[in-house]
Each structure stands twice: as C-alpha cells, then as structure tokens.
Amino acid sequence: MMKKGHKNTPPNSSYDDAKLVQKLAEKVWRRRKARSSTLGVWFGLGMMGLIGWSIAVPTILGAVLGLWIDQHYPSHYTWALALIIAGLTMGCLNAWHWIALENQSMHDDQKEEEEKEKDNDSTQ
C-alpha cells in the first residue's frame, strides 16, 4: 500500500483536489503574466541602451573637455586621458546605480507575489 501524498497516488479528498486546482491556476496565471508582460525583450534592450548611454555620455564629455583643456592650456600631462577615465568611472557608477534599482524593483515584485501566495495558502 502506498503512503498518502506519494507522487504516484491520486488525490483522495476534495481538499487535495482544491489544492491541486489552486496550484495549477497559479501556474497558469504566472505563465500568462510572463507572456503578456511588457518587460520582455524590449525592456531588456531599453535597459541595455540606458546603461550604454549612461556610460558613453560622461566618457565622451570627459574626452571633449579634456581635449579643450589640452588645446587652451597646454601642460606636460594630458587632461584628455584623465577626464576620459573620470567620465568612464562616473558612467560605470551611474550604470551600477540603475542596475541596482532595477534589481531591487524585481526582488520587491517577487517578494510581493510570494506574500500573496502565502496569504492565499493561509486563507484556505
């Protein structure tokens, strides 16, 4: 005789049936949400563009400003290289900030869904 709850035994009570139906409904809901989500490919491409521009713009501005300083105030050291590195550093920090915000947002959404699932499980 197989134990109750074993994978090969069919549910033998209406409580087990209701639990199974709810789990299936949640899986269907998650799948539909994932398919209809606007945060798919376009969101990823947009985020890549945002990160790219957040790095490129400060780097280019540093290069332009450095070249201008080098032309108008010549010195032994090049300002262009120093300001390119500074712009690149600031751009990378900016991109890291954006990624951290999006990561936190995704984790918050996931945590909310888990709390909803726990609330649904506790009410039944």
Side-chain angles (χ1 to χ4, degrees):
M1 182 171 179
M2 296 186 146
K3 294 180 181 177
K4 183 179 177 184
H6 191 271
K7 288 183 179 179
N8 294 329
T9 59
N12 57 3
S13 71
S14 61
Y15 176 75
D16 289 339
D17 290 341
K19 219 173 170 182
L20 178 64
V21 168
Q22 180 169 352
K23 284 184 180 181
L24 288 173
E26 288 173 0
K27 284 184 180 182
V28 168
W29 177 79
R30 278 191 221 119
R31 202 172 274 170
R32 284 184 180 169
K33 182 181 175 189
R35 286 182 183 166
S36 67
S37 176
T38 58
L39 300 179
V41 174
W42 292 112
F43 178 77
L45 290 173
M47 184 57 68
M48 284 181 9
L50 176 69
I51 292 169
W53 282 110
S54 70
I55 294 172
V57 169
T59 305
I60 291 170
L61 289 176
V64 169
L65 181 62
L67 289 172
W68 184 84
I69 291 173
D70 284 343
Q71 287 177 354
H72 289 86
Y73 305 101
S75 69
H76 181 53
Y77 299 103
T78 176
W79 280 96
L81 183 59
L83 292 178
I84 286 172
I85 292 171
L88 182 62
T89 302
M90 290 191 61
C92 288
L93 289 172
N94 191 20
W96 178 61
H97 172 73
W98 279 104
I99 291 171
L101 285 177
E102 287 301 320
N103 188 28
Q104 184 64 39
S105 174
M106 288 180 355
H107 284 293
D108 290 345
D109 291 345
Q110 186 177 11
K111 191 179 282 187
E112 286 177 11
E113 286 181 16
E114 289 173 358
E115 287 175 2
K116 285 180 184 177
E117 287 178 13
K118 286 180 183 177
D119 289 342
N120 287 341
D121 288 344
S122 66
T123 58
Q124 291 180 357

